[in-house]
Amino acid sequence: MGHAASFSTPVVADQERDWALVDGPEVATELGTDPEHGLSSAEAATRLAQHGPNELDAEPPEPAWKRLARQFSDPLIHLLLAAIVISVAAWWFEGAQGLPVDAVVILLIVVANAIIGYVQEGKAADAVAALQRMSEVTAGVVRDGQQLRVPATEVVPGDLLVLAEGDSVPADARLLRASSLQVAEASLTGESQPVTKSPATLAEHVPLGDRTNMVFKGTAVTQGLGRAVVTETGMGTEMGHIARMLNETEQESTPLEKEIAGVGKVLGRSVIVIALVVMGAVALTSDIRTAQDAVDVLLLGVSLAVAAVPEGLPAILSLVLSIGVQAMSRRNAIIKSLSSVETLGSASVICSDKTGTLTRNEMTMVRVRSRSGAAEISGVGYAPEGDVLVEGSPLLEQDPELDLREEDIVVLSGGTLASDAEVRQEEDGSWSVIGDPTEAAFVVAEQKAGLTQRRQERFTRIGEVPFTSDRKMMSVVVEDADHTDAEGRVQRTLVAKGAPDVLLEHCTRAREGERVVDLTAADREQVERDVAEMSDQALRTLAVAYRPLEPGEYEAALAGDGSLDGEAGLALEEGLILVGTVGIIDPPRTEAAEAVAEAHRAGIRVVMITGDHPATALRIAQELGIVGQGARAVAGPELDGMDDAQLREVVREVSVFARVAPEHKLQLIAALQAEGQIVSMTGDGVNDAPALRKADIGVAMGVTGTEVSKQAADMILVDDNFSTIVSAVRQGRVIFANIRKFLRYLLSSNMGEVLTMFLGVMLAEYLGLTGHGEAVVAPLLATQILWINLVTDSAPALAMGIDPETEDVMAARPRPLSERVINTRMWTGILTIGLVMAVVTLLALDMELPGGLVEGHQSVENARTAAFTTLVLAQLFNALNSRSETVSAFHRLFTNRWLWLSLAFGLVSQVAVVHVPFLQAAFGTEALTLDQWLKCLALASCVLWFDELRKVVLRWRGEPAPAEPTPRLEPALT
Ligand code: ATP
């Protein structure tokens, strides 16, 4: 045993090894990787095979035979198997004459059932696995010297990781390089503040939270860049140790699954009682002489219990959920767990970001303003075609003495200096953006003004204070080649851009032409008026400011890691000189207004949450119909001072929140949830992750979202589009409605079987069922009951699970999550329909039998076949009933092709079981005449007529008929 370790290659990381104490380059050598080029892809593949995927649940998948065996694990099936064994034993002791037909048939049915369950479960599992692949997290690595993104599960020890802001760390790794790298490790250490990381080797073994040169799986990069060598993957990581301890790989069942399991249990218990009563009654009325007779009674009871409990339900449920979820993914919404479907259908408030979700995120600058005037910019989109016009004439044709021109150079070039975006012409001639669209708007405007080359010649960037949605501004430090001092030092200048209200706080002076003047209170008001005016026109506003730095000031502001993110860096952004403001259009998405209207119709409120200016936000919210005229917007900072009661008051009334920072999202969710709302919230940044987790449905952006936000979310929008959220909610409701349909169908059909048996045995004498010399007196045989269960249960139920959506799904208010899936009204329906089924079935029996209420002339076998057939047909009719609780079955009768297929299948198999000789032998049936078939059909159809009548009464009594929209929940319009 002791030498097993010598078989492993040296790259197998030793779990006890503390890589924090080893120098970076040495770690790379030891793990057999190149610190610049990473692993070769061939080596990575070998290691993947060797170490297995980088996943936390190391549990092997359940082998097929186990899954099949599990299909027999139901206690009721055990009972049935036991009864079969007893039956075969009795047959053996009585001389083993002929075949033990019943036992064989029942065994076949049980096996067939298990196979169906097995297949369904497998389908559902495949669907879930496919979804998991779609929402897979990716990781940046260098392999063969190329930087690429691979699924995080394929990261191997020795891989060279590339870490960037918003990435989730895919594995434990030792840093080789870091620039301003900060990592949030709360998930691992509980430390809420991000930790600054650097590659410096540590001197001694320290606790996890202090290993500053290591990054760990499951943590998140909140800022900066880094490169690191992977030391551990999968269960070998620190996260893996915790996961092993918590053993949290157990899958939680959804509330829906729990409720259904509960219903199953209650049904199981009551059915066993009923089965015992039926068995007792049969035993009393029958003339039991042999052991075989007794066993037959036993089989009957057990079959009844098995038939009455819908064992197939959980499998059908998860299959229907996963089919629905796959349909959603085709419509650009990736749902990460099945339970979210249910929550989605109940969503009552959708909180959405503005930029990119409600708007197109295609930023075009249209206006520039400075102290001395304004310029308009023509041309749309990212093509640098258009002009900067001052009072109608192109900028560069203006009198060179005009100070406005110089300023605009600074506004547009300044904004571009503080930008990282690039605009690029594609092969098809269209223009596209790499980077932030807001910044691209500056780049394009500068090109339109023809100033790009001049700026590039003059300025070189040397440092940056990054943009965050908390700060709402950013700065760069540039060297100005045109200005050198007497000692030959190049002038360094800080150039900042950001939200005007924020940037104004950092300004003390302003540019006016070539001059710099003090910024008076009146000037500030003027800027605010300019901004308000642009915002009122739905323009996104930014301001540009700058400050020449003193010699040595820049160096002094650098933090230990050479970045400007520290306090000293932030201090550079004070005492700025305001240059001007700009207005950018970001047109609303055309489909968004429609989606908002649909949400409102469905009683769902839409709340806009944005970092933009309140007036801009309000204007766009009005254009989209989120709020009406006269509504107000509340700014994030206003929320800061509020207590819980005030917050609740605000969320009740206000639907537009502007200048919001990520932590405000948490406050808003809490307040809305306290109001009893089911909240969906969008987010894209690392800082949005807590809000995404707290929301009932966290929604991440597939295109612009960070890996961390995608991991925290319940749903990912492939197209970042608001209307996708609404369509997912609609889908959620459709799926939920369909689940109700098949529950109604399955449960009422089962009720019909139980009541038929129960009443049939109890009323045997009045039906003319006794006195035929039969050992066991029962309306249906055990095999027949099981047949009904197999033929009628699964297929139509599944078909109903994929019933196409009806126009009314978005016409009702959201369902409170506390409301049961099967409510009292539904139970009443289930009971009455079950009763009607039993009555018509027993009537069919009575009509054929001599004696009883109606006189007949047939044998017991024949009468039983008629009853059996009537019950099957009644269930097929009931499938049509079950598609709605209040709407007529004839409404949209033919929209579900699968349903009709399953009904046709049910009918054909019933004809077979009645007329094919060997099935007749197996199921104790006799051929029926056409006349008899028609009689059965007529009787069975009563189930349909009765339910139509019931629906008329329900509609007449004003039960909310989903076809008519319920009064719409007024979205806050004030
Ligand atoms: P949403 O939450 O709806 O996506 P948003 O994207 O408009 O909102 P932020 O990106 O946080 O919100 O922007 C907030 C404000 O910060 C903007 O109104 C703008 O004034 C300013 N801003 C946005 N991007 C930049 C940037 N790259 N540099 C400087 N300032 C910016």
Side-chain angles (χ1 to χ4, degrees):
M1 288 288 289
H3 293 290
S6 60
F7 285 103
S8 46
T9 63
V11 296
V12 172
D14 175 353
Q15 291 203 352
E16 299 309 315
R17 184 78 187 264
D18 188 350
W19 295 104
L21 310 184
V22 185
D23 286 337
E26 204 174 311
V27 176
T29 318
E30 277 194 50
L31 291 172
T33 194
D34 182 297
E36 289 305 320
H37 294 94
L39 297 174
S40 67
S41 39
E43 177 63 17
T46 316
R47 292 190 185 190
L48 186 61
Q50 187 183 352
H51 296 273
N54 174 29
E55 285 167 343
L56 281 191
D57 47 334
E59 241 173 70
E62 192 180 28
W65 67 267
K66 255 197 180 162
R67 212 169 70 197
L68 188 60
R70 207 156 34 74
Q71 306 299 324
F72 295 96
S73 69
D74 189 274
L76 282 172
I77 298 286
H78 291 170
L79 264 180
L80 196 57
L81 291 175
I84 292 172
V85 171
I86 296 174
S87 156
V88 173
W91 163 81
W92 182 260
F93 281 123
E94 291 190 352
Q97 280 161 5
L99 265 182
V101 178
D102 280 1
V104 172
V105 171
I106 293 177
L107 187 66
L108 284 178
I109 290 182
V110 171
V111 170
N113 235 331
I115 292 173
I116 291 177
Y118 173 82
V119 172
Q120 282 176 347
E121 213 178 81
K123 281 246 160 66
D126 289 349
V128 171
L131 280 176
Q132 269 163 0
R133 276 196 298 280
M134 264 188 264
S135 57
E136 202 162 55
V137 175
T138 61
V141 293
V142 179
R143 284 184 189 167
D144 305 313
Q146 298 278 331
Q147 192 170 324
L148 65 157
R149 288 200 84 82
V150 297
T153 49
E154 289 173 16
V155 169
V156 295
D159 249 333
L160 188 58
L161 285 187
V162 182
L163 300 168
E165 179 179 328
D167 277 349
S168 81
V169 180
D172 289 3
R174 169 72 165 82
L175 283 169
L176 299 181
R177 262 189 268 159
S179 123
S180 324
L181 185 66
Q182 293 202 344
V183 178
E185 297 189 331
S187 53
L188 193 63
T189 61
E191 168 60 47
S192 57
Q193 289 300 314
V195 185
T196 303
K197 298 281 180 179
S198 93
T201 309
L202 300 185
E204 56 182 29
H205 187 72
V206 290
L208 222 53
D210 298 329
R211 280 182 223 162
T212 46
N213 57 9
M214 298 280 299
V215 288
F216 301 102
K217 184 178 178 70
T219 59
V221 180
T222 55
Q223 196 184 308
L225 297 169
R227 287 206 172 191
V229 183
V230 173
T231 54
E232 287 288 352
T233 58
M235 290 305 277
T237 60
E238 297 296 336
M239 208 43 127
H241 298 330
I242 299 180
R244 189 166 281 143
M245 278 190 296
L246 299 179
N247 195 14
E248 49 173 19
T249 47
E250 281 278 311
Q251 251 232 298
E252 263 258 24
S253 16
T254 75
L256 192 64
E257 282 169 347
K258 281 187 201 146
E259 186 181 335
I260 300 234
V263 169
K265 262 197 204 121
V266 173
L267 268 184
R269 284 200 204 109
S270 34
V271 154
I272 287 181
V273 173
I274 295 176
L276 285 175
V277 173
V278 170
M279 274 156 65
V282 172
L284 284 180
T285 37
S286 310
D287 180 18
I288 294 179
R289 285 190 220 108
T290 62
Q292 185 63 53
D293 292 347
V295 168
D296 283 349
V297 176
L298 180 72
L299 271 183
L300 189 69
V302 175
S303 304
L304 177 61
V306 171
V309 177
E311 306 86 7
L313 247 184
I316 297 184
L317 185 65
S318 55
L319 189 58
V320 165
L321 281 174
S322 42
I323 291 175
V325 159
Q326 276 187 318
M328 284 193 200
S329 72
R330 281 193 295 275
R331 299 185 192 183
N332 292 331
I334 296 174
I335 309 286
K336 286 172 46 189
S337 81
L338 295 185
S339 59
S340 310
V341 174
E342 204 184 332
T343 328
L344 254 182
S346 298
S348 60
V349 179
I350 301 177
C351 299
S352 173
D353 283 341
K354 174 181 69 69
T355 311
T357 315
L358 287 163
T359 66
R360 297 222 289 257
N361 205 10
E362 286 165 14
M363 307 275 180
T364 312
M365 189 180 296
V366 292
R367 190 163 311 160
V368 187
R369 275 181 176 273
S370 70
R371 261 173 82 88
S372 37
E376 306 291 321
I377 304 174
S378 65
V380 286
Y382 293 121
E385 290 148 12
D387 287 308
V388 179
L389 305 169
V390 179
E391 286 160 9
S393 331
L395 176 72
L396 293 184
E397 286 167 17
Q398 298 283 321
D399 183 346
E401 292 305 307
L402 249 175
D403 57 9
L404 184 68
R405 177 185 164 194
E406 268 298 305
E407 274 176 17
D408 280 322
I409 292 173
V410 186
V411 177
L412 296 181
S413 303
T416 311
L417 278 174
S419 293
D420 292 309
E422 273 174 51
V423 226
R424 190 171 66 176
Q425 190 163 26
E426 302 291 337
E427 277 173 14
D428 63 1
S430 67
W431 291 80
S432 69
V433 167
I434 308 166
D436 182 349
T438 304
E439 300 190 340
F442 274 101
V443 175
V444 173
E446 190 203 40
Q447 285 191 21
K448 287 179 183 168
L451 303 166
T452 307
Q453 199 187 351
R454 175 84 188 95
R455 176 204 23 106
Q456 285 169 341
E457 284 163 6
R458 187 170 151 192
F459 298 104
T460 321
R461 185 192 297 194
I462 55 171
E464 177 180 345
V465 192
F467 175 83
T468 67
S469 38
D470 285 305
R471 281 168 24 86
K472 298 191 172 47
M473 62 177 284
M474 64 159 295
S475 312
V476 293
V477 177
V478 292
E479 289 187 331
D480 182 349
D482 278 7
H483 293 85
T484 41
D485 64 9
E487 287 152 55
R489 282 180 305 206
V490 189
Q491 172 65 52
R492 286 174 174 160
T493 303
L494 177 125
V495 185
K497 73 179 194 312
D501 36 340
V502 175
L503 205 60
L504 212 51
E505 298 290 307
H506 295 257
C507 293
T508 51
R509 290 167 292 166
R511 245 318 258 265
E512 189 177 65
E514 302 274 279
R515 295 179 301 143
V516 171
V517 297
D518 278 342
L519 197 62
T520 62
D523 294 331
R524 284 177 195 274
E525 274 168 31
Q526 181 57 47
V527 174
E528 278 161 16
R529 266 199 303 277
D530 287 350
V531 167
E533 191 198 311
M534 288 195 276
S535 301
D536 279 339
Q537 294 163 2
L539 297 181
R540 178 178 174 89
T541 52
L542 275 93
V544 178
Y546 75 101
R547 178 166 74 86
L549 301 180
E550 302 297 328
E553 203 183 346
Y554 168 71
E555 287 82 354
L558 289 177
D561 59 357
S563 76
L564 284 175
D565 317 341
E567 301 239 326
L570 295 181
L572 291 183
E573 293 178 322
E574 297 303 331
L576 304 185
I577 303 165
L578 182 74
V579 192
T581 50
V582 301
I584 296 174
I585 21 174
D586 176 18
R589 285 179 184 266
T590 35
E591 62 280 27
E594 220 166 278
V596 169
E598 181 174 7
H600 284 172
R601 251 197 332 276
I604 301 168
R605 229 175 97 187
V606 179
V607 174
M608 177 192 278
I609 295 188
T610 173
D612 247 340
H613 190 280
T616 315
L618 199 56
R619 189 53 214 279
I620 292 187
Q622 284 165 346
E623 275 178 31
L624 290 170
I626 293 175
V627 291
Q629 297 299 324
R632 76 184 168 115
V634 167
E638 283 178 60
L639 299 175
D640 287 332
M642 294 186 188
D643 61 24
D644 290 351
Q646 285 168 315
L647 271 173
R648 286 176 64 167
E649 174 93 31
V650 165
V651 297
R652 230 175 285 150
E653 288 172 1
V654 178
S655 294
V656 180
F657 295 90
R659 288 289 184 245
V660 168
E663 68 267 18
H664 296 129
K665 289 189 175 178
L666 277 174
Q667 284 180 298
L668 293 174
I669 295 173
L672 283 165
Q673 284 175 337
E675 286 286 295
Q677 307 287 0
I678 309 290
V679 186
S680 146
M681 172 68 80
T682 63
D684 46 16
V686 199
N687 300 340
D688 286 329
L692 293 182
R693 280 205 199 91
K694 185 167 175 64
D696 299 285
I697 306 144
V699 182
M701 302 297 144
V703 184
T704 55
T706 54
E707 290 297 323
V708 174
S709 63
K710 289 182 199 170
Q711 240 174 0
D714 302 299
M715 175 163 100
I716 299 171
L717 303 181
V718 177
D719 57 358
D720 290 12
N721 192 336
F722 174 79
S723 59
T724 303
I725 308 179
V726 178
S727 98
V729 170
R730 184 187 330 115
Q731 285 290 306
R733 287 189 175 195
V734 170
I735 294 173
F736 193 80
N738 287 350
I739 288 173
R740 275 197 162 154
K741 292 177 196 176
F742 75 66
L743 281 175
R744 199 178 293 133
Y745 164 73
L746 278 180
L747 294 177
S748 50
S749 295
N750 283 333
M751 195 60 77
E753 293 161 38
V754 174
L755 289 176
T756 301
M757 290 305 285
F758 182 71
L759 296 177
V761 171
M762 293 300 162
L763 307 174
E765 246 178 273
Y766 307 100
L767 297 169
L769 196 54
T770 47
H772 300 281
E774 274 199 318
V776 178
V777 174
L780 297 173
L781 300 178
T783 44
Q784 293 171 345
I785 298 175
L786 288 175
W787 166 268
I788 294 175
N789 207 30
L790 185 71
V791 176
T792 51
D793 261 14
S794 300
L798 261 182
M800 246 174 269
I802 48 173
D803 214 28
E805 79 178 68
T806 50
E807 61 275 15
D808 54 24
V809 275
M810 290 300 259
R813 285 158 184 257
R815 177 187 78 107
L817 269 187
S818 57
E819 187 189 309
R820 299 207 146 223
V821 184
I822 313 177
N823 52 23
T824 325
R825 191 172 75 174
M826 198 161 142
W827 274 124
T828 320
I830 289 169
L831 257 169
T832 35
I833 292 298
L835 196 63
V836 175
M837 270 187 208
V839 168
V840 295
T841 306
L842 294 177
L843 212 58
L845 187 77
D846 187 21
M847 274 162 67
E848 304 297 352
L849 283 175
L853 294 175
V854 189
E855 190 61 25
H857 311 284
Q858 302 287 347
S859 67
V860 185
E861 284 74 27
N862 189 286
R864 210 175 258 145
T865 306
F868 173 36
T869 304
T870 306
L871 185 53
V872 166
L873 295 179
Q875 303 211 346
L876 299 183
F877 278 113
N878 188 36
L880 300 178
N881 289 338
S882 306
R883 291 178 66 213
S884 169
E885 195 153 50
T886 46
V887 177
S888 162
F890 296 97
H891 183 61
R892 302 171 65 252
L893 185 58
F894 297 106
T895 49
N896 188 343
R897 181 159 58 98
W898 293 106
L899 186 63
W900 284 99
L901 266 175
S902 70
L903 296 184
F905 170 74
L907 186 64
V908 169
S909 19
Q910 188 62 21
V911 171
V913 83
V914 171
H915 294 282
V916 175
F918 86 91
L919 288 176
Q920 286 176 337
F923 291 90
T925 52
E926 264 183 18
L928 297 179
T929 62
L930 182 63
D931 228 28
Q932 279 184 305
W933 267 101
L934 290 177
K935 249 195 273 176
C936 293
L937 201 68
L939 273 173
S941 71
C942 291
V943 169
L944 179 64
W945 312 129
F946 176 86
D947 205 46
E948 283 297 305
L949 215 67
R950 198 182 65 93
K951 286 176 182 176
V952 168
V953 174
L954 277 180
R955 287 199 299 267
W956 172 68
R957 282 200 355 218
E959 303 270 347
E964 300 150 30
T966 45
R968 131 179 176 196
L969 182 77
E970 276 306 311
L973 288 181
T974 46

